[in-house]
Amino acid sequence: MANSQDETLLEGTDAPANEIPQTVRPRLTLYAKLVINGWLLEFLSLAIGIAAIVALCAELHHYNGKEAPTANAVVGVKITLNTLVAILSTIGRVALLLPVTEAISQSKWTWYSNNHRPLEDLAVFDKASRGPWGGLQLLWKINVR
């Protein structure tokens, strides 16, 4: 009796009675894939970080060997060259934090997927994604000597 009900429910479809119908999803654009997978924010952060470092290098190259400019001479705003260097280096450092921490977190799962590893390694990877001392401990742990 159950078979006749299943066949009755699936009448008019091409699917056999024992198959579960699959949901058809529309194809995603590259932008939608990046947003869904969380990569868009990482790409933007990486681009901002690289742009800030390139701008810092260009600005320092422009003033290389010249006398230190006055407060109004740097980009037409009342800031000194030291202030501009501090701003650009901070933007670059902060923007590059996200991709680096995400890469360390991803490598943690790659580290565990290859072999059986002790659970204490998880703490080392976690510390590495939080600061430079943890990063040095991670380098020591994975035998980069």
Side-chain angles (χ1 to χ4, degrees):
M1 182 158 193
N3 280 342
S4 64
Q5 284 179 345
D6 288 342
E7 289 174 12
T8 306
L9 291 175
L10 294 175
E11 279 182 20
T13 64
D14 294 335
N18 58 356
E19 274 190 29
I20 299 172
Q22 298 293 322
T23 317
V24 178
R25 294 188 178 126
R27 295 193 87 194
L28 297 174
T29 64
L30 177 63
Y31 174 76
K33 288 178 186 177
L34 290 175
V35 170
I36 289 171
N37 293 334
W39 285 63
L40 183 65
L41 185 60
E42 291 176 34
F43 281 135
L44 288 176
S45 181
L46 186 63
I48 290 170
I50 290 172
I53 291 172
V54 167
L56 174 64
C57 291
E59 194 69 25
L60 290 176
H61 180 55
H62 176 71
Y63 287 108
N64 187 21
K66 297 179 183 174
E67 203 173 297
T70 61
N72 288 335
V74 179
V75 293
V77 182
K78 291 187 177 186
I79 60 172
T80 63
L81 184 59
N82 288 342
T83 306
L84 183 65
V85 167
I87 290 170
L88 289 175
S89 63
T90 302
I91 290 171
R93 186 177 30 188
V94 169
L96 291 176
L97 262 176
L98 177 69
V100 168
T101 56
E102 290 294 327
I104 290 172
S105 295
Q106 181 60 41
S107 65
K108 168 178 44 180
W109 300 115
T110 305
W111 178 260
Y112 277 103
S113 69
N114 292 340
N115 294 321
H116 295 317
R117 308 277 185 178
L119 195 56
E120 64 191 26
D121 289 357
L122 189 65
V124 175
F125 276 96
D126 201 34
K127 288 178 188 175
S129 66
R130 294 188 179 147
W133 178 246
L136 289 173
Q137 289 176 330
L138 176 64
L139 289 175
W140 185 261
K141 181 69 178 177
I142 61 173
N143 297 325
V144 179
R145 298 176 196 162

